[in-house]
Amino acid sequence: MTSASSFAAGLGLPALRGATLAEVDAAAALQHRTDRKYLVPVDLAQTFVRLLADSHHVLDLAGRRTTSYVSAYFDTPRLAAWHAHVQGRRRRWKVRTRLYAEDGLCRVEVKTKDGRGATVKHALRIPAGEHGELRARAAEFVDETLSGASIPVGAGQLTPAAEVRYVRAALADLAHGTRVTLDGALTFRHGDRTAALDPGRVLVETKGGTRPAPADRLLLRLGGRPVSLSKYVVGRSLLTPGLPDNDVRRLARTHFTAGTSTAPLLERTPAA
């Protein structure tokens, strides 16, 4: 499954009840949350979605049930963010701009970890034309957020480190305030190197509290197993020859393929 329409149809999303962005945000915004990730075969993802139909709504954006994401990640020249994650440091962090391609919306986002290991996401809306850059307002936001999390890195030290693209469907349990996302057509690029997730796999993420949600228990019953996986870390591991080997890299070699491309980094995707 590669296109947004085939991804939605292949997962059976048209059969689910729809919910607006306002409804999903009101019930399950989850800026402070615990994420659990699973790499599952497409047929397992199809069964998972079907069994969630009674408890979950799918985010519906004027009839569209997926969104194409383009994320530009930033790191220091020595890849401090990458190393912090791979080494399991308590003060891990990520900085990115994220473009919602069909809508022409863009945000700069900073993700950190709190003292208990939960993910805290901070976001600021910026013009779509600033995607892939940290201009003055975005840089100030990054500096304030990282400083507030006691991370000694500033926006002036950061440069574009990888581009990540994928198609996402978002499901929400409006009664219990939890969310599930399903990502397909996942690709990475840096310079002339590219990598991609096996098209027969879907990356499922559950976003909720410290205890596993019903969706997690369902996935486990279906045979899914949690994996430690960061899109940026996996992508950079595949795209950068000579980085130290690690568990993430071994996982990436099992489910991803790498190659080269002449297309430029951060090629613009126009809004529909």
Side-chain angles (χ1 to χ4, degrees), residues 137-154:
R137 186 161 171 253
E140 181 180 2
F141 172 76
V142 169
D143 287 342
E144 290 177 353
T145 306
L146 292 178
S147 175
S150 300
I151 295 168
V153 175

Side-chain angles (χ1 to χ4, degrees), residues 86-173:
V86 169
Q87 295 169 5
R89 295 179 191 168
R90 188 168 61 91
R91 294 296 181 186
R92 299 196 295 274
W93 55 277
K94 293 191 189 79
V95 173
R96 68 189 178 205
T97 61
R98 171 169 282 177
L99 178 68
Y100 300 81
E102 292 90 349
D103 305 301
L105 301 177
C106 190
R107 306 196 310 178
V108 57
E109 299 180 345
V110 181
K111 296 176 74 173
T112 61
K113 294 285 186 180
D114 69 8
R116 296 181 294 178
T119 299
V120 184
K121 184 166 76 172
H122 311 263
L124 174 71
R125 177 85 175 267
I126 60 174
E130 295 184 15
H131 172 62
E133 304 174 36
L134 295 177
R135 298 188 189 176
R137 186 161 171 253
E140 181 180 2
F141 172 76
V142 169
D143 287 342
E144 290 177 353
T145 306
L146 292 178
S147 175
S150 300
I151 295 168
V153 175
Q157 301 169 258
L158 305 178
T159 58
E163 177 192 273
V164 180
R165 297 186 180 218
Y166 53 97
V167 177
R168 167 167 288 184
L171 281 57
D173 183 339

Side-chain angles (χ1 to χ4, degrees), residues 7-8 11 13 16-21 23-25 28-30 33 48-49 52 56-61 64-69 98 100 166-174 178-184 202-207:
F7 184 67
L11 291 179
L13 299 179
L16 271 65
R17 297 167 293 170
T20 66
L21 180 60
E23 289 173 325
V24 171
D25 281 347
L30 298 175
R33 70 208 188 197
F48 177 61
V49 169
L52 288 180
H56 286 65
H57 291 66
V58 61
L59 175 63
D60 188 298
L61 300 165
R64 194 183 77 239
R65 297 198 160 189
T66 62
T67 297
S68 299
Y69 285 56
R98 171 169 282 177
Y100 300 81
Y166 53 97
V167 177
R168 167 167 288 184
L171 281 57
D173 183 339
L174 302 183
T178 59
R179 283 194 291 130
V180 176
T181 59
L182 300 101
D183 299 339
V202 175
L203 176 60
V204 180
E205 300 184 30
T206 63
K207 306 167 191 295

Side-chain angles (χ1 to χ4, degrees), residues 21 24 27 37 72 74-76 79 82 93 136 143 145 184 203 215 256:
L21 180 60
V24 171
K37 302 179 182 182
F74 298 83
D75 208 336
T76 68
L79 303 181
W82 186 90
W93 55 277
D143 287 342
T145 306
L203 176 60
F256 296 80

